[in-house]
Amino acid sequence: MKDKIQKLVIIGGGPAGATASIYSSRYKVEHLVVSPYLGGVAKEAFSIENWPGIKNISGSDLMKNMWDHAKEYKPKTLEGEVKEIKKGNKHFALTTNEGKIIKTKSIIFAGGTQPRRLLIPGEDKLIGRGISYCATCDGAFFRNKVVVVIGGSNSATMAAIELSKQSKKVYIIYRGEKLKGEPIWVDRIKKYKNIEEIPTTNVVKILGKNKVEELELDKKHKKSKNLKVDGVFIEIGTIPSSGLVKKAGVEVDENGFIIIGSKGNTNIGGFFAAGDTTNGSGGFRQIVTSCAEGAVAARGVFEYLNENE
Ligand SMILES: Cc1cc2nc3c(=O)[nH]c(=O)nc-3n(C[C@H](O)[C@H](O)[C@H](O)COP(=O)(O)OP(=O)(O)OC[C@H]3O[C@@H](n4cnc5c(N)ncnc54)[C@H](O)[C@@H]3O)c2cc1C
């Protein structure tokens, strides 16, 4: 692999990367997919109810289906992370976490996003010791315990419902006056007796010696600013995984999302992007929009290679 120049490398194995792989295979654009794992953050969703054609499916099942489909065409895959991208005269050179150099004529960057941190005292120290950013991954550690979800978005609402099925008590703490998720999830949350909403409140500190013990709030809840909890799930949005592409000269917007044109193209010829990491689809970051952008970028690459090879 070291010396061969790839036609296309797809960076990221989430919905955007999987769809880009399916479409590229059908355009007969040989490609390599590089990702630490296949499935992306969609795997974390315990219930997906807006993927057209399927009323309800878990994120891990949906992503398994997508990759089973993509693998039918036998794309090359490499488990790893791209750490550096350099643009040469004729091709790009990618360096992986294991120091492997991969040369390629084109790239689809589909690196998605990462959870946004709260950046409050106690967060760094207690990550993995009661603080999590993924209810699906870590919810089972809090069976019959008291947990808090911080955030008022759709994923926060979904996380609270998911956790309520096994935890004794779930608080959902958010800054606004109301939850902001899809109305269907917001209505549903009211039906769970063990979920308690704490609106217009900020968590200012996470306390605990070796594990999470309590939260300090910026105002009293039931006569106290302190709330005893066993676990904290932080669901306050995401930031794009676009640091390394910015270093490579790819233009990003003020929030770090990659600026794409109508073909998934960026300001650099041969460099395309798709999915949650872009400013595309009106900023609506969903599985269906990520897949659509993956398909569009695959077609963009197909046309680019035809014009430039
Ligand atoms: C809990 C939860 C529930 C959700 N529920 C829904 C829902 O019900 N419906 C819906 O439509 N959407 C839902 N979403 C959102 C949806 O999952 C995302 O919109 C979608 O996964 C974005 O796809 P993507 O391919 O752009 O990125 P991602 O799924 O984030 O995948 C990106 C992949 O790229 C990899 N990567 C990043 N950087 C590099 C690098 N440098 N080198 C190699 N690989 C890299 C990452 O490891 C990851 O595997 C949910 C998200 C979460 C977290």
Side-chain angles (χ1 to χ4, degrees), residues 258-290:
I258 300 171
I259 299 172
I260 54 167
S262 59
K263 296 185 174 189
N265 52 301
T266 68
N267 60 311
I268 295 184
F271 196 114
F272 293 74
D276 278 10
T277 197
T278 78
N279 71 339
S281 304
F284 195 32
R285 298 190 173 89
Q286 292 283 284
I287 297 168
V288 75
T289 50
S290 297

Side-chain angles (χ1 to χ4, degrees), residues 7-8 85-93 104-108 248-251 259 261 263-273 297 300-301 303-305 307-308:
K7 283 191 173 182
L8 165 66
I85 303 173
K86 278 191 177 157
K87 168 95 178 93
N89 283 340
K90 289 194 175 155
H91 51 71
F92 299 92
T104 179
K105 293 177 183 169
S106 65
I107 292 173
I108 296 176
V250 174
E251 273 175 17
I259 299 172
K263 296 185 174 189
N265 52 301
T266 68
N267 60 311
I268 295 184
F271 196 114
F272 293 74
V301 166
E303 290 175 357
Y304 171 83
L305 292 174
E307 284 160 18
N308 290 281

Side-chain angles (χ1 to χ4, degrees), residues 7-265:
K7 283 191 173 182
L8 165 66
V9 174
I10 297 170
I11 302 173
T19 312
S21 176
I22 293 169
Y23 274 75
S24 298
S25 296
R26 296 178 62 80
Y27 280 123
K28 295 201 182 300
V29 174
E30 262 186 49
H31 58 278
L32 168 70
V33 181
V34 184
S35 194
Y37 64 98
L38 297 179
V41 296
K43 270 178 108 168
E44 296 171 15
F46 83 108
S47 168
I48 292 169
E49 301 181 4
N50 53 12
W51 176 250
I54 304 181
K55 271 192 189 166
N56 186 321
I57 186 167
S58 71
S60 60
D61 283 350
L62 179 64
M63 292 319 298
K64 184 179 178 308
N65 291 349
M66 270 192 213
W67 275 107
D68 283 351
H69 182 178
K71 283 179 178 171
E72 283 289 306
Y73 299 103
K74 302 193 172 25
K76 287 168 282 179
T77 56
L78 178 71
E79 209 175 281
E81 199 180 333
V82 174
K83 288 288 189 192
E84 190 182 51
I85 303 173
K86 278 191 177 157
K87 168 95 178 93
N89 283 340
K90 289 194 175 155
H91 51 71
F92 299 92
L94 314 181
T95 309
T96 71
N97 53 322
E98 292 192 337
K100 204 181 275 271
I101 310 277
I102 303 165
K103 293 177 184 169
T104 179
K105 293 177 183 169
S106 65
I107 292 173
I108 296 176
F109 186 80
T113 55
Q114 294 162 0
R116 189 180 287 284
R117 297 247 182 131
L118 262 178
L119 304 176
I120 57 169
E123 186 179 18
D124 275 351
K125 178 180 142 193
L126 297 169
I127 287 175
R129 293 162 178 238
I131 297 183
S132 167
Y133 299 84
C134 175
T136 304
C137 321
D138 299 329
F141 297 121
F142 300 92
R143 201 174 292 279
N144 299 321
K145 305 243 162 136
V146 178
V147 296
V148 162
V149 176
I150 302 175
S153 65
N154 218 32
S155 41
T157 313
M158 287 166 81
I161 292 175
E162 182 176 10
L163 290 164
S164 75
K165 296 183 196 270
Q166 48 196 350
S167 296
K168 186 164 69 184
K169 170 91 186 177
V170 181
Y171 294 100
I172 177 163
I173 301 179
Y174 49 93
R175 280 196 303 207
E177 290 185 353
K178 283 184 184 163
L179 289 169
K180 285 197 230 130
E182 276 179 43
I184 201 159
W185 284 105
V186 173
D187 288 350
R188 219 176 275 174
I189 207 168
K190 316 273 179 218
K191 294 187 188 139
Y192 290 83
K193 300 279 176 267
N194 61 340
I195 301 181
E196 182 177 341
E197 292 181 41
I198 308 183
T200 60
T201 302
N202 290 294
V203 176
V204 291
K205 230 184 242 179
I206 305 175
L207 303 157
K209 206 168 169 205
N210 295 313
K211 61 179 187 58
V212 169
E213 289 165 19
E214 57 183 341
L215 304 183
E216 188 179 314
L217 311 177
D218 66 347
K219 63 192 237 206
K220 284 185 182 168
H221 170 68
K222 293 182 183 156
K223 297 187 184 160
S224 173
K225 278 191 173 180
N226 284 41
L227 188 66
K228 290 222 174 300
V229 295
D230 302 298
V232 181
F233 290 82
I234 299 174
E235 294 279 356
I236 54 162
T238 54
I239 47 171
S241 310
S242 59
L244 86 158
V245 306
K246 198 175 158 193
K247 276 194 202 146
V250 174
E251 273 175 17
V252 298
D253 71 10
E254 64 282 6
N255 296 313
F257 292 98
I258 300 171
I259 299 172
I260 54 167
S262 59
K263 296 185 174 189
N265 52 301

